Amino acid sequence: MRLLLIADTHVPKRARDLPSRVWHEVADADVVMHAGDWVEPELLDRLEARAARLLACWGNNDGAELRRRLPERADATLGGLRFTLVHETGAATGRDARMANEYPDTDVLVFGHSHIPWDTTATTGLRLLNPGSPTDRRRQPFCTYMTATVEGAALSNVVLHNLERHA
């Protein structure tokens, strides 16, 4: 099962649309995960129409319509792994232990908010992934997104993809 992980798209405030490379990934993914900060519901409509399956939550920049349509926390079991999507996880310091304590029944926690890519594993085995942002790099050298594979109840091939400014 091929996964696409994105967050913090901020469409249309930070970009008019997702980069074309990301739309190609949407077409290739079995599951698209969006960890919040959509800003406007039009992108949600388009991803719902184009993704084979969408797992998503709202973020702190999402208004009433997105909060009505999306949960603050989304959970799903995919290929035998338990995934949780949330937008915010707090400070980076102590994040792994804090999230492992908060999500003891989760195998993979996908989050956003910082626009900073993150890939760590807590001592409990919880994998924490932040794909960064495909549209707003902030202080990062690139806009980013992640892909991964779930096979045999294991997560593999986790890749952080860098996007050029006009990708």
Side-chain angles (χ1 to χ4, degrees):
M1 178 181 312
R2 184 167 167 78
L3 309 178
L4 168 63
L5 286 64
I6 57 176
D8 297 291
T9 49
H10 294 267
V11 171
K13 297 209 177 198
R14 297 289 185 209
R16 283 179 269 148
D17 196 3
L18 294 179
S20 61
R21 226 170 102 193
V22 175
W23 281 116
H24 289 295
E25 296 282 5
V26 169
D28 291 342
D30 297 300
V31 181
V32 175
M33 298 183 180
H34 191 303
D37 270 5
W38 303 74
V39 177
E40 297 292 335
E42 288 76 15
L43 180 60
L44 173 59
D45 295 337
R46 293 174 62 210
L47 275 174
E48 285 177 332
R50 293 173 72 175
R53 179 173 178 187
L54 179 64
L55 183 64
C57 64
W58 55 260
N60 62 299
N61 283 294
D62 297 329
E65 175 67 13
L66 286 160
R67 289 176 189 227
R68 183 184 64 75
R69 293 174 58 186
L70 296 168
E72 182 175 11
R73 170 185 172 166
D75 294 282
T77 300
L78 304 170
L81 286 178
R82 299 162 300 176
F83 284 82
T84 297
L85 267 77
V86 296
H87 185 62
E88 296 187 53
T89 58
T93 303
R95 177 181 286 140
D96 292 1
R98 201 173 54 250
M99 293 302 102
N101 186 55
E102 192 165 332
Y103 300 101
D105 297 324
T106 295
D107 298 309
V108 182
L109 178 67
V110 179
F111 64 99
H113 188 61
S114 67
H115 299 219
I116 300 171
W118 186 277
D119 182 353
T120 58
T121 302
T123 57
T124 62
L126 173 68
R127 183 83 175 259
L128 295 96
L129 299 173
N130 182 332
S133 170
T135 55
D136 184 12
R137 65 184 182 92
R138 285 198 184 158
R139 293 171 297 281
Q140 299 304 300
F142 297 98
C143 289
T144 57
Y145 66 93
M146 284 180 171
T147 55
T149 303
V150 175
E151 189 173 359
L155 186 69
S156 62
N157 304 318
V158 177
V159 178
L160 178 68
H161 300 270
N162 295 334
L163 291 162
E164 298 302 323
R165 285 186 183 259
H166 300 290

